[in-house]
Amino acid sequence: NAGVMQNPRHLVRRRGQEARLRCSPVKGHSHVYWYRQLPEEGLKFMVYLQKENIIDESGMPKERFSAEFPKEGPSILRIQQVVRGDSAAYFCASSPDRAPSNTGELFFGEGSRLTVL
Amino acid sequence: GQQLNQSPQSMFIQEGEDVSMNCTSSSIFNTWLWYKQDPGEGPVLLIALYKAGELTSNGRLTAQFGITRKDSFLNISASIPSDVGIYFCAGQRLYNNNDMRFGAGTRLTVKP
């Protein structure tokens, strides 16, 4: 009965390298959300995906960041050519499929903490 | 985008005391939510409010959805050490999780 699983929990990268963060949603959830949390700040929405589709990426920087949620396997948040300002905790959340709306029932993972040296 | 102002930023209280924190916005929200984040963990939903004026309790927690739909408060009664953590308010303007906006959090420390 696993919740949202994120890995790695901690990732250290040098400037210019790539970071890949993985998220397996709660079994049966088809909605995945990625949030970024900077120290002493709240969570900032980045991207919302359903299986094989990006629904809303309005919070994600247009360059260097990409996300996917393939038919099989976890959701991936990819950051290319990382810079120091990318250092943050990245949280994935999932929600159950409930029409016509889903409100607030987000189940969060434990986060992946990226440190860029 | 819509900005949520959460206060206070931090609180240091004695075990047994009551706690109150609030969230305000210049925008109207249709849903207000309160989450708690323990150190090193992801946020967990505490209370969700869906109607203006709604007052909802969850054990020692009570939260209200302001009449103007621009604010919400969370009260914790008779605090205990495990209440330590960061409390986030979140608002949804539309009925979509991708529309959710979070406050900056209230960091609560409870001294035994």
Side-chain angles (χ1 to χ4, degrees):
Chain A
N1 189 21
V4 175
M5 304 298 290
Q6 287 189 249
N7 70 83
R9 291 292 307 274
H10 299 274
L11 182 64
V12 179
R13 285 285 178 267
R14 296 191 180 281
R15 279 180 296 171
Q17 291 185 319
E18 179 180 287
R20 274 186 189 233
L21 309 177
R22 293 173 202 81
C23 169
S24 295
V26 173
K27 190 175 179 183
H29 287 189
S30 58
H31 304 259
V32 165
Y33 311 79
W34 284 94
Y35 285 83
R36 177 161 66 177
Q37 184 178 33
L38 295 170
E40 309 299 313
E41 291 189 16
L43 295 140
K44 296 266 192 309
F45 167 77
M46 297 181 73
V47 61
Y48 164 41
L49 310 104
Q50 292 183 22
K51 280 287 186 183
E52 300 184 272
N53 289 308
I54 295 175
I55 307 301
D56 180 354
E57 55 184 348
S58 59
M60 197 159 67
K62 300 248 184 295
E63 295 179 358
R64 303 188 297 108
F65 284 73
S66 62
E68 62 177 15
F69 189 16
K71 190 175 177 182
E72 302 289 338
S75 175
I76 308 276
L77 179 68
R78 184 177 173 213
I79 312 172
Q80 295 177 287
Q81 298 169 3
V82 296
V83 300
R84 288 225 174 99
D86 296 333
S87 295
Y90 292 85
F91 286 94
C92 170
S94 72
S95 69
D97 208 10
R98 185 171 300 179
S101 64
N102 49 7
T103 53
E105 292 186 68
L106 288 179
F107 295 81
F108 283 86
E110 294 180 323
S112 291
R113 281 147 186 84
L114 172 65
T115 301
V116 179
L117 301 176
Chain B
Q2 312 94 357
Q3 188 172 350
L4 296 187
N5 299 307
Q6 188 171 348
S7 66
Q9 266 191 323
S10 58
M11 300 183 77
F12 296 83
I13 60 167
Q14 208 68 39
E15 183 178 357
E17 288 182 0
D18 297 343
V19 172
S20 187
M21 57 192 81
N22 68 79
C23 219
T24 60
S25 173
S26 56
S27 302
I28 288 173
F29 286 96
N30 287 314
T31 305
W32 281 96
L33 308 117
W34 287 91
Y35 285 82
K36 184 193 177 197
Q37 184 178 25
D38 289 327
E41 305 286 329
V44 173
L45 180 65
L46 297 174
I47 291 182
L49 303 152
Y50 300 108
K51 280 200 300 196
E54 180 181 355
L55 184 73
T56 296
S57 292
N58 178 5
R60 292 178 297 106
L61 308 178
T62 302
Q64 183 156 33
F65 191 144
I67 289 288
T68 64
R69 294 203 280 161
K70 293 182 180 180
D71 63 318
S72 176
F73 72 74
L74 174 72
N75 286 343
I76 306 173
S77 62
S79 58
I80 58 178
S82 62
D83 290 335
V84 163
I86 306 176
Y87 292 80
F88 291 102
C89 64
Q92 287 183 324
R93 188 174 52 89
L94 306 171
Y95 292 108
N96 291 306
N97 282 329
N98 48 308
D99 182 59
M100 198 180 301
R101 298 292 181 262
F102 284 81
T106 295
R107 282 148 187 79
L108 179 64
T109 303
V110 180
K111 297 178 213 171

